[in-house]
Amino acid sequence: MTTHALQFTLEAVDDSAVVGQSFLAVDGAGAPAVAYVIGTAAGAAVRVARRHNGHWTHEDTGGFPAGDDVRISLSFDSGGVPHVAYRDGDSGNAIFGTRRDDGWSLEAIPTQAGLFVRSAADVSMQIEPNLNDPPFADTPTVGYRDAFHGDSAAVARKIGGSWQISDVDAPSDARTGLSLAFDNSAGLRLAYFQGFDDGSPVIPQPLKLAQEEVSDAEDAHPPTFVNGVIDPDMRAAESVSMARGLFSKVLVAYADVRTRTVRAWSSSVGTEPRIEVVAEGNDANGPRFPSAAGDPHQTLFIAYLDDGQVVLARRGPAGWTSQPVATGDGWPSLEFGKDGTAHLAYGTGTLMYARGTVSPG
């Protein structure tokens, strides 16, 4: 069997004291954009870069995020308007931002019953796909941990100018990761760790998956969720990423701090879910920061770090195979365009972009 490698071309996006994390999204025209963090005299700041006709433009949003421990989210609506979400560096609140004609507009999400703003963590956002099903088309949807309610998992959805709040899961002692994603039929899921301090030297942090329950298409009430443990053996988790826009599959990539392994939980219609080790670990690996994605043919991919290298893993019939992409140590972020092009952002101190196509033969 011949393995078709992805051939990448590399280019610099921004060398302005870029901090580690990034989040890449592809707009409706197939052009990549990256939300990322730069260091300024006033502190870390949120910036968005967009690529048009082979050139990158950069725009500061006016937002200041809290550290580098969770990804900023970036998503486009059907009109090509970019939106961001992140945890504010001063207040700890969940912030939602929209690019308007006169610049970026930022607002704190009222996390308590849609009325009161409280602190949040692990903010993850996506604009709901426009499938001609109002009132949900192009709805901003944000997953987060509600610090006011003991770090419980929740979802905020903005409909008609108002935020609606859904409880997803109970409080947790773990605040290590949460990832929200829609599939290509607008089915909503969250992957997250929920740990409880049971006195063990290392707190158990099982990986859980929550899924929105199907309701009447005209029901504008906040969604309800069912959840369950999908990997009960996790301890000391590092981060989690769920692939967006898949049809018949679900892919969750995550990393284990103890073993430094990159793991994948995946499921597809008609088969049993499976947990696989994508990349073995050792003391030299360092942080892995996996990013999950699927191409238009439903092939599963995970980008991750490996001791100063950005690596891309692909799930084939015989399992996962990996190829190095470039030198880098900042969080990679992977997404595929509708034409099958792989888009990858990562850091080296400079924000970098890699564009990949499948090699012939």
Side-chain angles (χ1 to χ4, degrees):
M1 182 186 69
T2 301
T3 299
H4 297 273
L6 284 167
Q7 302 299 312
F8 284 92
T9 57
L10 313 179
E11 59 189 70
V13 178
D14 193 342
D15 60 1
S16 304
V18 175
V19 185
Q21 65 156 300
S22 63
F23 192 101
L24 184 146
V26 179
D27 67 19
V34 186
Y36 56 108
V37 179
I38 62 166
T40 71
V46 179
R47 179 175 287 184
V48 173
R50 302 186 68 175
R51 190 177 191 271
H52 294 287
N53 299 322
H55 299 284
W56 288 92
T57 61
H58 315 90
E59 187 174 38
D60 292 332
T61 65
F64 294 89
D68 201 37
D69 58 347
V70 66
R71 295 181 194 271
I72 292 172
S73 293
L74 172 68
S75 186
F76 288 88
D77 63 28
S78 61
V81 176
H83 308 264
V84 296
Y86 56 93
R87 183 172 184 253
D88 181 70
D90 291 328
S91 66
N93 298 331
I95 301 296
F96 175 73
T98 298
R99 178 63 171 89
R100 304 194 186 280
D101 292 340
D102 58 350
W104 283 87
S105 173
L106 307 176
E107 62 178 300
I109 297 173
T111 51
Q112 298 296 306
L115 298 173
F116 304 101
V117 177
R118 306 291 187 185
S119 61
D122 283 0
V123 178
S124 180
M125 178 273 298
Q126 187 178 0
I127 304 299
E128 181 162 345
N130 184 354
L131 300 180
N132 298 314
D133 56 348
F136 305 118
D138 282 338
T139 300
T141 306
V142 185
Y144 60 93
R145 295 186 191 271
D146 184 343
F148 187 71
H149 281 170
D151 291 326
S152 58
V155 165
R157 186 171 64 178
K158 192 174 188 180
I159 298 178
S162 299
W163 290 94
Q164 297 180 346
I165 310 301
S166 295
D167 294 326
V168 175
D169 209 338
S172 167
D173 292 331
R175 301 175 67 180
T176 53
L178 181 149
S179 182
L180 174 149
F182 286 100
D183 62 23
N184 76 338
S185 62
L188 176 60
R189 298 181 180 90
L190 288 87
Y192 55 97
F193 298 104
Q194 188 177 38
F196 297 99
D197 189 353
D198 61 358
S200 303
V202 181
I203 298 176
Q205 297 181 36
L207 178 66
K208 302 189 75 172
L209 185 70
Q211 182 165 332
E212 179 183 0
E213 293 188 290
V214 177
S215 60
D216 185 275
E218 299 301 322
D219 183 5
H221 290 87
T224 56
F225 291 83
V226 293
N227 59 70
V229 173
I230 58 175
D231 187 345
D233 299 324
M234 279 299 298
R235 303 287 191 277
E238 177 194 277
S239 59
V240 61
S241 172
M242 186 161 47
R244 297 180 170 187
L246 294 176
F247 170 59
S248 60
K249 298 181 180 181
V250 180
L251 172 63
V252 182
Y254 51 110
D256 188 320
V257 173
R258 298 173 308 153
T259 62
R260 300 188 187 276
T261 54
V262 178
R263 298 162 70 89
W265 182 94
S266 63
S267 69
S268 57
V269 174
T271 64
E272 289 293 320
R274 58 192 175 197
I275 298 172
E276 298 172 295
V277 174
V278 177
E280 298 286 355
N282 58 54
D283 290 341
N285 290 130
R288 311 310 293 269
F289 297 132
S291 176
D295 72 5
H297 303 291
Q298 303 292 292
T299 305
L300 305 181
F301 292 84
I302 297 173
Y304 60 91
L305 297 180
D306 187 7
D307 192 22
Q309 289 287 315
V310 179
V311 178
L312 182 68
R314 175 177 182 164
R315 183 61 168 85
W320 289 91
T321 57
S322 297
Q323 66 174 95
V325 176
T327 300
D329 56 8
W331 297 37
S333 181
L334 176 69
E335 190 63 79
F336 282 83
K338 294 179 181 179
D339 63 353
T341 298
H343 303 270
L344 178 63
Y346 62 96
T348 62
T350 293
L351 179 65
M352 299 293 295
Y353 166 71
R355 184 183 185 91
T357 55
V358 177
S359 62

